[in-house]
């Protein structure tokens, strides 16, 4: 399993990263299957090689029909800010479909254009409006792994919160226009499927490079970085560099993707490049509009693999407490909270306390750095007044994840290396979903997945 280094020296957008990940080896078949299942109309996709400043790159293009088209790649429109003569309705000629890339819009509000004229944007366009629930519903009906679906949800939730903050509106009241447009939904789904198929462990993004000046959008003329991008990099402490070029180099989708997947904002001291993907942007600047996705392996990881061992060693903390006066509902809630906060394992074991009282022994295994967080959850949501704690050493077998196709369906599988021998453990969610869909026994589906994994080795 490799790590991912995203080089964003000249900005980042959703379609650029999709192309870069595909060029670096993401599963194109899984992507095409997901795209074909999106329950929305008005688009098609194209993947081809192009040249950017003399460099061969991959281009992922979402092509909209005339009803859904916008000015996302019209440089004169986005950054020229020239206004045509007013027509009889008081609108600018040629402006009816022009907005900044992926920026949200609240219907029935009035805003002022560059020269102060009032424009009612509900009349200015005929594009679809979607709130966060609408967008997530489209994602939920698209065929992809559960990990990819969670990633897509997270990206849109981050954008929604950033737009909510920018416009002082509750998240549920934010109605997306550009972000809710089908091209942005396709970009996020494609991003999530491609990233999930690479099975990377860590994601290094040293910084994002942004331009300067202003950009024309739904709300008029906005400064670069646009408010949604500024809010995301602020909320997630993403390092930002302003380069000496005029224009919008970082889109909300690009920033939200980094906020979702980045694990480190500094590169490891030594690493080996395993594969390089070049993703092309659509806009033409004076600098290469390119994102590079590099699969890397650190020297530490390579040395570890060369030791020919199938075991990893680390330290964990074991927390335990006896509880005899909390309800079953409360204990179930505590387990959910502990797992949600990163617990490695949570158990309830029946026991007897003083005066022969039936009780439960709560046992929590967690990372050393998470122990205080787990203790707070236990004290907050149970009746216990004391927790026992012990630090322990742990030996774990090396594991990875793969996806295989059985009965025409994709299944996620955990692969464990037992001193050179690989064992396959299909994920329960995949087995149960397939068994229900094709009406076959759980065991038959499970064994078929294991057999398919063994054949592909």
């Amino acid at each position: 399993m490799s790590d991912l280094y995203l080089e964003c020296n000249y900005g980042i957008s959703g379609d650029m990263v999709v192309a870069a990940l595909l060029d670096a080896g993401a599963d194109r078949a899984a992507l095409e299957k997901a795209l074909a299942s999106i329950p929305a109309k008005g688009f098609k996709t194209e993947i081809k090689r192009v040249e950017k400043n003399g460099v061969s790159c991959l281009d992922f293009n979402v092509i909209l029909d005339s009803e859904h088209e916008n000015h996302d790649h019209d440089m004169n429109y986005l950054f020229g800010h020239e206004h045509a003569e007013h027509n009889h309705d008081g609108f600018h000629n040629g402006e009816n479909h022009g907005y900044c890339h992926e920026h949200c819009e609240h219907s029935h509000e009035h805003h002022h254009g560059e020269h102060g004229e009032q424009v009612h944007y509900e009349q200015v366009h005929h594009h679809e409006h979607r709130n966060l629930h609408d967008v997530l519903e489209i994602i939920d009906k698209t065929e992809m792994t559960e990990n990819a679906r969670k990633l897509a949800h997270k990206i849109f939730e981050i954008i929604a919160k950033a737009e909510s903050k920018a416009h002082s509106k509750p998240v549920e009241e934010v109605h997306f226009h550009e972000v809710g447009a089908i091209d942005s939904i396709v970009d996020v789904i494609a991003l999530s499927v491609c990233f999930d198929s690479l099975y990377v462990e860590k994601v290094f993004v040293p910084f994002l490079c942004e331009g300067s000046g202003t950009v024309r959008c739904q709300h008029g003329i906005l400064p670069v970085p646009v408010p949604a991008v500024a809010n995301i990099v602020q909320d997630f402490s993403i390092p930002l560099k302003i380069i000496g070029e005029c224009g919008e180099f970082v889109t909300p989708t690009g920033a939200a993707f980094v906020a979702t997947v980045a694990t480190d904002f500094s590169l490891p001291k030594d690493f080996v490049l395993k594969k390089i993907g070049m993703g092309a942007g659509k806009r033409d600047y004076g600098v290469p509009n390119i994102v590079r996705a590099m699969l890397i392996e650190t020297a530490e990881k390579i040395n570890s693999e060369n030791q020919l061992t199938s075991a990893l060693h680390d330290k964990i903390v074991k927390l335990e407490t006896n509880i005899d006066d909390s309800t079953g509902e409360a204990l179930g809630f505590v387990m959910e909270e502990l797992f949600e906060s990163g617990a490695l394992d949570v158990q309830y074991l029946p026991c007897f306390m003083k005066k022969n009282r039936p009780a439960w022994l709560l046992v929590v295994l967690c990372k050393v750095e998470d122990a205080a967080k787990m203790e707070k959850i236990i004290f907050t949501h149970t009746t216990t007044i004391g927790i026992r704690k012990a630090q322990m050493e742990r030996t774990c077998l090396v594991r990875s994840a793969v996806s295989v196709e059985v009965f025409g369906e994709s299944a996620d599988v955990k692969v464990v290396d037992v001193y050179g021998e690989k064992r396959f453990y299909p994920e329960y969610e995949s087995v149960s979903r397939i068994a229900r869909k094709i009406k076959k026994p759980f065991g038959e589906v499970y064994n078929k997945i294991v057999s398919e994994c063994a054949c592909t080795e």
Side-chain angles (χ1 to χ4, degrees):
M1 186 180 293
S2 298
D3 298 326
L4 176 64
Y5 164 29
L6 280 179
E7 183 190 73
C8 309
N9 290 345
Y10 301 107
I12 182 173
S13 65
D15 58 324
M16 292 168 70
V17 181
V18 173
L21 295 178
L22 280 172
D23 203 28
D27 190 338
R28 183 163 174 173
L31 172 61
E32 291 174 347
K33 188 174 183 180
L35 294 177
S37 70
I38 296 175
K41 299 178 181 179
F43 77 97
K44 63 180 179 179
T45 57
E46 181 182 56
I47 302 170
K48 63 180 180 180
R49 299 213 70 86
V50 297
E51 275 198 9
K52 279 282 184 178
N53 293 64
V55 178
S56 176
C57 306
L58 198 65
D59 176 53
F60 175 76
N61 193 16
V62 181
I63 304 169
L64 303 177
D65 61 22
S66 58
E67 182 181 349
H68 297 81
E69 186 53 81
N70 55 50
H71 283 279
D72 181 35
H73 309 132
D74 184 342
M75 299 295 283
N76 286 332
Y77 186 90
L78 289 171
F79 305 114
H81 307 320
E82 297 93 348
H83 281 258
E85 293 297 324
H86 293 83
N87 63 20
H88 295 295
D89 295 321
F91 304 125
H92 296 304
N93 291 330
E95 261 191 47
N96 289 17
H97 301 289
Y99 317 103
C100 73
H101 183 60
E102 300 168 326
H103 210 68
C104 86
E105 177 269 355
H106 306 291
S107 61
H108 306 295
E109 291 186 6
H110 290 80
H111 304 275
H112 289 84
E114 186 177 12
H115 301 300
E117 69 282 1
Q118 195 176 62
V119 180
H120 188 283
Y121 286 109
E122 181 67 18
Q123 298 174 356
V124 176
H125 63 83
H126 303 286
H127 290 274
E128 295 173 279
H129 293 261
R130 296 183 176 95
N131 59 26
L132 181 61
H133 173 77
D134 297 328
V135 173
L136 298 185
E137 189 173 38
I138 291 175
I139 293 171
D140 287 340
K141 292 179 180 178
T142 299
E143 191 167 343
M144 63 181 93
T145 67
E146 284 308 307
N147 284 336
R149 199 181 316 280
K150 289 177 183 177
L151 178 59
H153 273 234
K154 184 66 174 177
I155 292 171
F156 266 112
E157 287 165 358
I158 289 174
I159 298 173
K161 289 177 182 177
E163 296 287 9
S164 168
K165 182 178 179 181
H167 301 286
S168 297
K169 298 278 186 179
V171 170
E172 58 271 16
E173 292 183 17
V174 172
H175 286 79
F176 295 117
H177 177 53
E178 283 78 8
V179 167
I182 189 59
D183 52 342
S184 295
I185 296 174
V186 172
D187 280 346
V188 171
I189 288 173
L191 266 177
S192 304
V193 171
C194 289
F195 179 80
D196 179 61
S197 73
L198 287 173
Y199 302 107
V200 297
E201 189 171 359
K202 292 184 177 181
V203 180
F204 299 94
V205 187
F207 49 81
L208 302 182
C209 286
E210 178 61 293
S212 58
T214 58
V215 61
R216 186 199 305 272
C217 83
Q218 172 70 17
H219 297 286
I221 305 300
L222 291 181
V224 174
V226 296
V229 169
N231 288 337
I232 292 170
V233 298
Q234 176 191 11
D235 292 344
F236 291 88
S237 300
I238 302 173
L240 189 67
K241 287 187 177 182
I242 304 300
I243 60 178
E245 294 288 333
C246 185
E248 180 196 21
F249 283 75
V250 179
T251 69
T253 298
F257 175 72
V258 170
T260 304
V261 304
T263 59
D264 297 85
F265 293 124
S266 59
L267 282 172
K269 184 178 179 181
D270 301 300
F271 60 86
V272 174
L273 284 173
K274 307 298 288 185
K275 199 160 186 180
I276 301 175
M278 307 286 283
K282 306 296 185 299
R283 301 175 185 172
D284 292 321
Y285 299 107
V287 295
N289 192 206
I290 296 171
V291 163
R292 287 205 294 182
M294 292 172 266
L295 296 179
I296 66 174
E297 285 192 13
T298 62
E300 178 183 359
K301 189 169 184 179
I302 293 172
N303 291 337
S304 175
E305 290 175 352
N306 289 340
Q307 291 175 359
L308 300 178
T309 177
S310 292
L312 299 175
H313 305 276
D314 64 357
K315 293 185 185 321
I316 60 171
V317 168
K318 178 182 180 181
L319 305 172
E320 63 178 36
T321 184
N322 293 23
I323 303 173
D324 66 352
D325 52 354
S326 285
T327 67
E329 290 90 343
L331 296 179
F333 177 82
V334 170
M335 176 179 282
E336 291 175 357
E337 288 293 296
L338 290 167
F339 276 125
E340 188 72 23
S341 298
L344 301 173
D345 200 4
V346 181
Q347 302 174 5
Y348 286 111
L349 304 176
C351 63
F352 285 89
M353 295 173 59
K354 60 185 178 181
K355 300 180 181 178
N356 288 325
R357 294 176 183 169
W360 295 99
L361 171 63
L362 168 61
V363 181
V364 180
L365 301 181
C366 65
K367 296 177 181 177
V368 175
E369 60 267 27
D370 289 338
K373 180 168 56 175
M374 301 298 156
E375 288 180 337
K376 183 177 180 180
I377 292 172
I378 296 170
F379 279 130
T380 300
H381 298 294
T382 74
T383 55
T384 190
I385 58 175
I387 300 173
R388 299 179 292 277
K389 177 167 64 176
Q391 191 170 113
M392 313 170 75
E393 293 187 350
R394 180 177 67 152
T395 301
C396 295
L397 294 174
V398 173
R399 72 218 42 197
S400 60
V402 299
S403 181
V404 297
E405 187 168 311
V406 295
F407 301 112
E409 299 291 330
S410 178
D412 297 327
V413 183
K414 184 186 301 177
V415 183
V416 178
D417 185 354
V418 187
Y419 299 99
E421 176 192 349
K422 288 188 176 180
R423 296 179 185 174
F424 306 98
Y425 299 93
E427 297 290 355
Y428 167 80
E429 289 79 7
S430 293
V431 180
S432 59
R433 172 177 53 81
I434 296 172
R436 290 189 178 104
K437 185 171 184 178
I438 66 174
K439 310 298 183 186
K440 286 185 178 292
F442 183 98
E444 181 180 342
V445 174
Y446 187 101
N447 292 334
K448 178 66 175 178
I449 296 172
V450 172
S451 175
E452 186 67 26
C453 290
C455 291
T456 58
E457 285 298 307

